[in-house]
Amino acid sequence: MINLDTLNLDKVDPAGLYHDIANIGKNLYEGWESGYKLPVPSHYVKCKKIVFTGMGGSGLAARLVISLTKKSSRLPIQIVSDYTLPNYVDNETLLVAISYSGSTEETLETFIEGYKRGARLIAFGTGGKLEELARKYQVPFFRHQQNICKQPRMTISRHLGAMLAILNKLGATEIDSRNILKTVQILENTYTSSWGFNIPSENNLAKKIAKEAFDKIPVIWAAEHLDEVAHCYKSLFNENAKTMSYYEPLPEMNHKSLAGSEFPKPLIRNIYHIFLASQFTHPQNQKRVKITAEFYKKRKYATEVVLFNEADSPLTEIILSLSLGAFVSFYLASLYGIDPTPIEAISDFKEKLNG
Amino acid sequence: MINLDTLNLDKVDPAGLYHDIANIGKNLYEGWESGYKLPVPSHYVKCKKIVFTGMGGSGLAARLVISLTKKSSRLPIQIVSDYTLPNYVDNETLLVAISYSGSTEETLETFIEGYKRGARLIAFGTGGKLEELARKYQVPFFRHQQNICKQPRMTISRHLGAMLAILNKLGATEIDSRNILKTVQILENTYTSSWGFNIPSENNLAKKIAKEAFDKIPVIWAAEHLDEVAHCYKSLFNENAKTMSYYEPLPEMNHKSLAGSEFPKPLIRNIYHIFLASQFTHPQNQKRVKITAEFYKKRKYATEVVLFNEADSPLTEIILSLSLGAFVSFYLASLYGIDPTPIEAISDFKEKLNG
């Protein structure tokens, strides 16, 4: 196995994806500040439903917003990752479309349809057709600078910060600026001392998890505000490390997947169950994480339970877990001997789809 | 490998789960008729949001309702599979709680909370604490006879029929009785001639898929109204065949999972990608199914594309696909030499959770 403590960063990561990972905290704060500055028409405040549309990496931040606010939101809030909007999207709906490239066909189709229905529109991206439409429709466009590796998935914390700021301005959420600042501070302390490139394997949780995940399928479990973080892990493992990965929301998958733990017997040694534990979920969900991990361990599966004692809020748990997962995906790519940035399989697929 | 053409049904399936599978069509129709007969207070018609709560097998029918109606519904409609209701559940919300046993702790907690918020309640089940609460709150209780194998997952088509009938009565959906009848008729013709126990392997699609799935992890892909059918496959494979299984909604997972198809290389031969194709989805989603299957085939994965030319509506596609998946899960259990009915892993887990 490749030694993670002697990697040449310029060689294994020519596009600089590592630096985008290291910037997750900084980008969260910058996104938050920029989001507050985005002018949003005053009649947007009175919306009755919130719908995000976005695909793949461009949709990840919206998923985290939903995870964080689904319990507290006074409005129904959901994401559509498809070509078609639900019928109930109307002129009382805030529709936020996100496409990093500005050319994602599903997102453009829903944005145009949202306009026809009189929805209150906001667009996120770096330019392209989506920006043109936003200009034509005279609706807010949240532009951000390209990130270092130029991959949509690495916009996640910047978009998260911006979306929370915008929803705050509209009165849909109540996130405190101090919570954002504190989160960034805790993250900086944690990752630089625990997961960074220079921390040797024996003290580095991210490297440890990456080594265990090598030649296994990582399956990530989490509940409530962390369930979409588990989804992000799948996404980052797929796209950065080019490995299969799945996620299991709790408590739901206790009612299904546990039964499906017997077969195929030869693959038990190739599955790695990772649990994102929490101090802030329902007490029974905290217990479920513990007992589910024991369940799999007893059945000879590789398991890992991650809990951040230093987290002081659900948002902090989201950001710490996200950062850890991003570092793991980076190290796992290195173990597989591949560049984490390009995703040729998806580019080839898109060509075939529209060729 | 066990010969599926010489199974002794009484021996491999003492609880009679096979008969519940064979009754999927009949149960759909009976559920539809009973649902229409359930008295529902007239003020329920004016609800503004629909929320289902239910876990595992008890939530499957609600997932199919959402899949079928998400495009056409004039109201936001979603399922909560957790202990806590979103803040926006209020006295304008129709809250439908489903618990086969009547004792599922997550569902009871949300039902009680829904009552406190003045939501318009309906409960589904066979009795237990949930029925007691429904009686106490004086709200409709949809009771149904135990199914043959007494497993929540096999209530799926009966509950689906009943829920569609109730939503129809409330004006939230517009399903035609003839569509239900036609669906049942097409299903009966198809399964008895193609997937039944007596149809030999060489002409039996369900047996063919089960044999290919043996010692592999089945991963099911589908778009739009079929995406929750893919979820049901995972559930039935987990619970009936006791095998690991995952599902990938389209088009979203094109943006993620394709990148994650390179590693772990030794496991490529152990993954089986099953695609539920459709005549009724967005043309690009139809194309995506085809190209995604080709993508995996080219990379040496086992693949299967299922399309029902005989289906004449999205509902018919849902029911045909569901029935096929249920038969596959049954045959796969037989290949693994296990009884499909008991799910001891989940019962043991529940004891630990509350012990």
Side-chain angles (χ1 to χ4, degrees), chain B residues 296-316:
Chain B
Y296 280 105
K297 204 170 174 183
K298 199 176 145 194
R299 283 160 180 79
K300 313 285 182 203
Y301 285 86
T303 58
E304 180 75 39
V305 179
V306 177
L307 176 67
F308 297 105
N309 289 314
E310 59 271 52
D312 66 345
S313 72
L315 177 65
T316 312

Side-chain angles (χ1 to χ4, degrees), chain B residues 339-350:
Chain B
D339 182 343
T341 298
I343 40 171
E344 281 158 27
I346 295 180
S347 325
D348 290 357
F349 178 86
K350 282 186 187 164

Side-chain angles (χ1 to χ4, degrees), chain A residues 205-274:
Chain A
L205 180 61
K207 290 182 182 175
K208 180 195 157 200
I209 295 176
K211 286 203 255 181
E212 185 68 50
F214 182 78
D215 268 352
K216 293 192 180 75
I217 300 176
V219 176
I220 304 95
W221 296 70
E224 302 183 33
H225 59 282
L226 295 177
D227 66 0
E228 290 289 349
V229 180
H231 187 150
C232 291
Y233 271 56
K234 173 206 162 50
S235 195
L236 295 170
F237 289 1
N238 286 162
E239 295 195 72
N240 292 345
K242 281 69 175 169
T243 177
M244 306 170 201
S245 178
Y246 301 97
Y247 69 101
E248 304 269 37
L250 280 170
E252 176 62 6
M253 290 308 174
N254 275 165
H255 296 260
K256 294 171 176 162
S257 305
L258 298 185
S261 59
E262 284 188 48
F263 301 103
K265 290 211 185 295
L267 298 191
I268 288 176
R269 79 174 79 95
N270 296 105
I271 308 291
Y272 181 23
H273 291 285
I274 301 170

Side-chain angles (χ1 to χ4, degrees), chain B residues 222-264:
Chain B
E224 302 183 33
H225 59 282
L226 295 177
D227 66 359
E228 290 289 349
V229 180
H231 187 150
C232 291
Y233 271 56
K234 173 207 162 50
S235 194
L236 295 169
F237 289 2
N238 286 163
E239 295 195 72
N240 292 344
K242 281 68 175 170
T243 177
M244 305 170 202
S245 178
Y246 301 96
Y247 69 102
E248 304 269 37
L250 280 170
E252 176 62 7
M253 291 308 174
N254 275 165
H255 296 260
K256 294 171 176 164
S257 306
L258 298 184
S261 58
E262 284 188 47
F263 301 103

Side-chain angles (χ1 to χ4, degrees), chain A residues 259-302:
Chain A
S261 59
E262 284 188 48
F263 301 103
K265 290 211 185 295
L267 298 191
I268 288 176
R269 79 174 79 95
N270 296 105
I271 308 291
Y272 181 23
H273 291 285
I274 301 170
F275 298 85
L276 305 179
S278 169
Q279 309 168 50
F280 302 105
T281 54
H282 191 289
Q284 285 294 84
N285 280 333
Q286 295 186 36
K287 208 169 161 189
R288 281 175 183 275
V289 164
K290 211 173 140 246
I291 300 176
T292 308
E294 283 164 10
F295 175 96
Y296 280 105
K297 203 169 174 185
K298 198 177 146 194
R299 283 160 181 79
K300 313 283 181 206
Y301 285 86

